[in-house]
Amino acid sequence: MKLITTLLLALLLSSCTFSISAEELLSPPKMSQQQESIYRALENAVGTSSFKFKYPRRGENLSAVILKDIDSDGIEEGFAFYELKTGDSVSTWISFLRQKDGVWQSVREIPAASSDIDMVSFAKITDSNRENIVVGWAIPGEEYSSCCIYSFDGSDAKKDHDVEFIYTDMLLENVDENELMEIILATKTKTRSSLRLVKFRAGKIVTAGLLSMPENIKEYKQLKFGRLTDNLNCIFADVLLSSGSTETKLAAVDNSTISELDAEEVGIYESFIRQKSPFVVSDVNSDGILDIPVTSVLAGYEEAKESDRLYVTSFVTLKNGEAQYIKRLIYNEEDNYYLEMPKSWGNSVTVKKQSDTGEWRFYIYNGSENVAEILRINVVDKNEYQDKLQIHDYKLLSEIGSKRYVCYIPTESYPGYTMSFEELSASFHIGSDISK
């Protein structure tokens, strides 16, 4: 009320004249003509105006009313999600709407599989001429959701399957590279975890492939589909294990089914289980091939306790049947940044953390001792930065809010090891998103 009073006073004191009332300021925004028409269509279908819209909690479509031209005829269809209370009963519904002479009409109301919506997507699953509506219904009190596929031809709507498909994460991909899309479902429940490939086959939506996943999965960090090699498509599931480690699980997609792949089968003789690494599968060199992160202990930390160890993350790609390492990164978990390490460093550089400041100091390492310091990186408050700048030749790498990411490069140069400030700036990144 104080805000409204202040606004009215400002308007009255202004040199300009406005024709506006307190009632107009307090009233909700007016609906557009199209929104009004959709609302009236729902009222007519439900028989009351006392319904409440329901909203998806993630994904590209976050509205309670979604307009989409699913059959490419130039006219949008409508899909509305709402909650209806009848006496002591509360239910959730989808309304399938069409336009006729510019007026919206509800064609069919279908009861929801749950009271909450996880996500809504559109894809050609059963018909190459028309997109299906793929709805993830969040199951209250559970870690997973239920995937339902619906079809709508403008005159009627229906659910396209009787089997329940549960998931924790979902992808819609053209796995077969034909006119129809497939659904990839990653699932974690209290009793099992799995990868499932769902597709339209012989007039039915069926499970084309199912793989068991590790029982000790804590969560899915990323689910991705793409090329492992020029001739092999895979599902890549990056999972966080209960131990705190991250693992990449591979599933080859061939002849409309899926089969598990391990590291040695594809020619990578390192574990896909990673320690203290936030990185996930990504096309880090933009060549269309997805690259897999693996970790190794940083030089000088081989004998350290696991809790004290630092790790280097290398991205490995497959070229002509051989594993090639294309990027080496070291991540500072405490200060949330990573540095892309120059190839010339090899395994001859280590890091020492200063206990009092948290600063990372980089040294040339000969296998038994630190030979020479080549770099310092620290994170300081903006006020501390000015002090450091006066005492040492620290330079600003980046800043977020009150944080200043600063560096110091010793004046003595070591060819192959010393980075210029420009090289360092290009190799330094805040966060852990390698795709940025």
Side-chain angles (χ1 to χ4, degrees):
M1 194 64 191
K2 183 178 180 182
L3 177 60
I4 298 296
T5 303
T6 303
L7 180 56
L8 286 170
L9 184 60
L11 291 172
L12 290 170
L13 293 176
S14 171
S15 59
C16 299
T17 301
F18 294 88
S19 178
I20 187 169
S21 67
E23 288 76 13
E24 289 175 303
L25 284 171
L26 293 170
S27 63
K30 291 183 179 180
M31 291 188 290
S32 67
Q33 186 175 354
Q34 181 168 243
Q35 290 171 329
E36 179 75 19
S37 179
I38 292 172
Y39 189 84
R40 296 305 171 207
L42 288 175
E43 274 189 328
N44 293 333
V46 175
T48 177
S49 61
S50 60
F51 58 85
K52 184 174 71 173
F53 284 122
K54 301 285 287 187
Y55 296 84
R57 64 187 185 187
R58 62 172 172 158
E60 294 182 359
N61 300 295
L62 297 176
S63 175
V65 179
I66 302 169
L67 304 181
K68 176 81 172 176
D69 181 8
I70 62 172
D71 52 8
S72 302
D73 65 351
I75 301 173
E76 292 179 319
E77 286 72 38
F79 309 91
F81 299 84
Y82 63 91
E83 179 182 276
L84 181 64
K85 186 175 182 180
T86 307
D88 295 330
S89 176
V90 178
S91 56
T92 302
W93 296 75
I94 316 177
S95 179
F96 295 81
L97 303 109
R98 68 177 179 185
Q99 299 180 68
K100 186 175 182 180
D101 300 325
V103 178
W104 284 95
Q105 299 175 339
S106 177
V107 174
R108 175 73 67 180
E109 314 295 309
I110 295 181
S114 176
S115 58
D116 295 313
I117 311 161
D118 179 44
M119 60 194 299
V120 180
S121 297
F122 296 87
K124 293 177 180 178
I125 306 294
T126 64
D127 188 340
S128 61
N129 296 314
R130 181 180 289 108
E131 290 180 296
N132 296 83
I133 304 90
V134 183
V135 181
W137 296 104
I139 309 300
E142 299 292 349
E143 301 178 48
Y144 54 85
S145 301
S146 178
C147 172
C148 293
I149 302 107
Y150 304 89
S151 60
F152 180 42
D153 63 4
S155 60
D156 201 3
K158 66 175 182 176
K159 182 180 173 184
D160 287 313
H161 57 98
D162 298 322
V163 180
E164 182 182 39
F165 299 114
I166 63 172
Y167 73 93
T168 307
D169 208 351
M170 174 169 54
L171 283 180
L172 301 177
E173 296 285 349
N174 190 352
V175 168
D176 294 339
E177 299 181 354
N178 57 17
E179 294 180 323
L180 297 180
M181 301 279 279
E182 285 74 39
I183 305 174
I184 300 167
L185 303 175
T187 304
K188 176 190 177 301
T189 70
K190 295 175 182 177
T191 58
R192 61 188 172 92
S193 298
S194 63
L195 277 180
R196 183 187 299 267
L197 179 64
V198 174
K199 67 172 295 158
F200 187 66
R201 178 186 286 168
K204 293 183 179 180
I205 294 176
V206 298
T207 295
L210 181 65
L211 287 180
S212 294
M213 296 289 280
E215 294 182 359
N216 60 336
I217 289 178
K218 188 175 181 181
E219 66 179 54
Y220 288 92
K221 295 184 68 173
Q222 177 183 260
L223 186 64
K224 212 171 183 69
F225 174 79
R227 289 195 294 159
L228 178 65
T229 69
D230 288 329
N231 303 310
L232 180 61
N233 288 331
C234 277
I235 301 168
F236 301 76
D238 288 298
V239 297
L240 179 65
L241 305 177
S242 56
S243 63
S245 303
T246 303
E247 182 176 7
T248 298
K249 301 295 290 185
L250 295 181
V253 180
D254 189 30
N255 295 323
S256 299
T257 189
I258 53 177
S259 56
E260 186 174 2
L261 285 177
D262 61 29
E264 291 189 7
E265 282 185 276
V266 297
I268 300 174
Y269 298 96
E270 293 192 51
S271 173
F272 285 168
I273 298 178
R274 303 184 288 282
Q275 311 295 331
K276 298 181 181 179
S277 175
F279 303 105
V280 293
V281 168
S282 183
D283 181 8
V284 297
N285 57 354
S286 303
D287 65 350
I289 303 294
L290 292 176
D291 311 305
I292 303 171
V294 297
T295 54
S296 57
V297 179
L298 180 66
Y301 284 82
E302 295 85 355
E303 304 302 322
K305 295 186 301 182
E306 181 59 38
S307 59
D308 296 331
R309 280 184 169 181
L310 293 180
Y311 285 84
V312 174
T313 300
S314 302
F315 275 87
V316 61
T317 190
L318 290 171
K319 294 290 185 183
N320 301 319
E322 295 185 357
Q324 297 180 9
Y325 297 89
I326 50 178
K327 278 184 190 277
R328 296 180 73 244
L329 316 172
I330 185 165
Y331 177 70
N332 187 318
E333 184 176 16
E334 183 177 338
D335 290 325
N336 191 33
Y337 69 81
Y338 71 88
L339 180 69
E340 184 178 343
M341 303 170 74
K343 288 184 179 181
S344 57
W345 282 10
N347 293 316
S348 301
V349 170
T350 191
V351 171
K352 184 177 180 181
K353 178 183 175 181
Q354 301 303 110
S355 59
D356 55 341
T357 63
E359 181 175 73
W360 271 19
R361 296 186 179 182
F362 295 74
Y363 294 88
I364 300 172
Y365 182 71
N366 66 6
S368 59
E369 61 182 353
N370 299 337
V371 176
E373 183 182 352
I374 55 173
L375 175 63
R376 298 178 187 179
I377 299 178
N378 201 2
V379 182
V380 298
D381 183 83
K382 61 181 180 181
N383 297 321
E384 296 176 354
Y385 171 58
Q386 297 300 327
D387 297 336
K388 280 187 172 289
L389 188 62
Q390 293 173 3
I391 299 171
H392 298 288
D393 190 18
Y394 278 80
K395 292 184 178 181
L396 182 65
L397 280 169
S398 189
E399 57 184 302
I400 293 182
S402 62
K403 287 186 176 182
R404 300 293 186 268
Y405 293 79
V406 299
C407 68
Y408 168 71
I409 301 173
T411 55
E412 188 170 356
S413 178
Y414 297 90
Y417 293 99
T418 298
M419 301 177 73
S420 68
F421 178 73
E422 290 71 25
E423 291 171 332
L424 177 59
S425 296
S427 302
F428 177 85
H429 304 273
I430 297 174
S432 58
D433 188 352
I434 193 72
S435 64
K436 292 182 178 179

